[in-house]
């Protein structure tokens, strides 16, 4: 399993799109024909090459792995439990300190963070420990002497995820984008359908 330093280095490397892909993503426009879905289009004369499409698909695969935490559901659950247990032991809790209360608190945190990868929870806890919660989260007055509420910890963890979620959205839009020349043709773009055996077949493929 990668060390924390290795994970941090990988996250820092993948935090933003390469400039070329960023410019390409920023060039996407939209075209809407009555009764048809909005089309994402690239400027005139631009179209993704097979190599560019493969590069974008690979980048998206890596980003999705970061967002999922690269762990199985069971491994993620264990990692979350370890992080939350450490946090709750380190910070005094508001309210009852009975075993039942501790179990209830742990369950509430787990429910609030069940879809968050462990690395993002770890970073969020570190931010809280250092009192470095971003002001743009508008969380109001915070008391860093106590453990953060589950919803607060989730918002901080989502802040950690935000650059990667935004990047994934841009990459998916790029993969859906078509040349503007095709987008400006009002002819409906053929949809794909699945046969009863699960294979995908294009219907009436239009040659460009």
């Amino acid at each position: 399993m990668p060390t924390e330093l290795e994970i941090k280095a990988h996250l820092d490397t993948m935090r933003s799109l390469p400039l070329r892909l960023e410019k390409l993503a920023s060039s996407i426009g939209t075209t809407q024909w009555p009764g048809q879905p909005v089309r994402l289009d690239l400027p005139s004369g631009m179209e993704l090459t097979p190599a560019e499409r493969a590069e974008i698909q690979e980048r998206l695969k890596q980003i999705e792995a970061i967002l999922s935490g690269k762990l199985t559901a069971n491994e993620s659950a264990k990692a979350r439990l370890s992080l939350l247990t450490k946090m709750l032991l380190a910070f005094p809790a508001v309210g009852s300190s009975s075993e039942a209360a501790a179990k209830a608190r742990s369950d509430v945190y787990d429910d609030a963070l069940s879809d968050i990868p462990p690395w993002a929870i770890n970073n969020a806890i570190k931010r809280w420990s250092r009192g470095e919660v971003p002001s743009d989260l508008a969380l109001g007055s915070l008391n860093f002497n106590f453990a953060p509420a589950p919803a607060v910890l989730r918002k901080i963890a989502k802040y950690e995820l935000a650059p990667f979620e935004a990047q994934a959205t841009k990459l998916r839009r790029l993969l859906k984008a078509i040349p503007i020349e095709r987008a400006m043709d009002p002819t409906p773009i053929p949809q794909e359908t699945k046969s009863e055996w699960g294979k995908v077949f294009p219907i009436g493929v239009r040659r460009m």
Side-chain angles (χ1 to χ4, degrees):
M1 183 177 294
T3 66
E4 188 170 332
L5 285 177
E6 288 173 334
I7 292 173
K8 183 181 184 303
H10 182 58
L11 292 176
D12 289 344
T13 300
M14 298 294 292
R15 192 169 295 277
S16 58
L17 280 175
L19 184 58
R20 179 174 55 83
L21 292 182
E22 183 64 50
K23 287 183 176 179
L24 196 58
S26 299
S27 72
I28 294 176
T30 59
T31 302
Q32 174 82 73
W33 291 100
Q36 297 185 39
V38 173
R39 298 174 180 178
L40 302 177
D41 55 63
L42 292 169
S44 180
M46 293 181 63
E47 183 173 3
L48 293 179
T49 65
E52 288 173 328
R53 186 169 293 276
E55 177 190 359
I56 293 169
Q57 288 172 333
E58 177 58 29
R59 178 88 184 188
L60 179 57
K61 181 180 177 181
Q62 293 181 48
I63 295 298
E64 288 175 337
I66 288 172
L67 292 171
S68 69
K70 296 184 180 179
L71 300 172
T72 66
N74 190 48
E75 289 172 334
S76 289
K78 287 181 178 179
R80 276 194 300 271
L81 178 61
S82 176
L83 289 167
L84 293 173
T85 299
K86 181 179 178 180
M87 180 190 74
L88 292 172
L89 288 173
F91 289 95
V94 177
S96 173
S97 59
S98 68
E99 184 177 341
K103 176 65 167 60
R105 275 193 291 271
S106 179
D107 288 345
V108 170
Y109 277 101
D110 192 51
D111 288 342
L113 300 161
S114 61
D115 60 336
I116 305 294
W119 69 262
I121 297 173
N122 186 46
N123 286 5
I125 293 173
K126 285 184 175 181
R127 281 185 178 276
W128 184 265
S129 299
R130 295 191 296 257
E132 296 176 354
V133 175
S135 59
D136 52 344
L137 288 179
L139 294 174
S141 179
L142 300 172
N143 188 342
F144 297 107
N145 293 316
F146 295 90
V152 169
L153 187 59
R154 177 180 176 82
K155 286 183 179 180
I156 302 172
K158 290 290 286 184
Y159 180 87
E160 294 289 331
L161 290 173
F164 301 100
E165 291 176 334
Q167 191 176 155
T169 297
K170 290 178 181 179
L171 293 172
R172 293 187 187 106
R173 283 170 58 85
L174 269 174
L175 291 173
K176 291 181 179 179
I178 59 177
I180 193 168
E181 291 81 5
R182 177 63 184 96
M184 294 302 293
D185 180 350
T187 306
I189 295 177
Q191 301 297 309
E192 293 186 333
T193 188
K194 288 186 178 181
S195 74
E196 59 183 312
W197 295 283
K199 294 183 179 179
V200 177
F201 294 94
I203 301 175
V205 174
R206 177 185 177 86
R207 298 288 182 182
M208 295 179 58

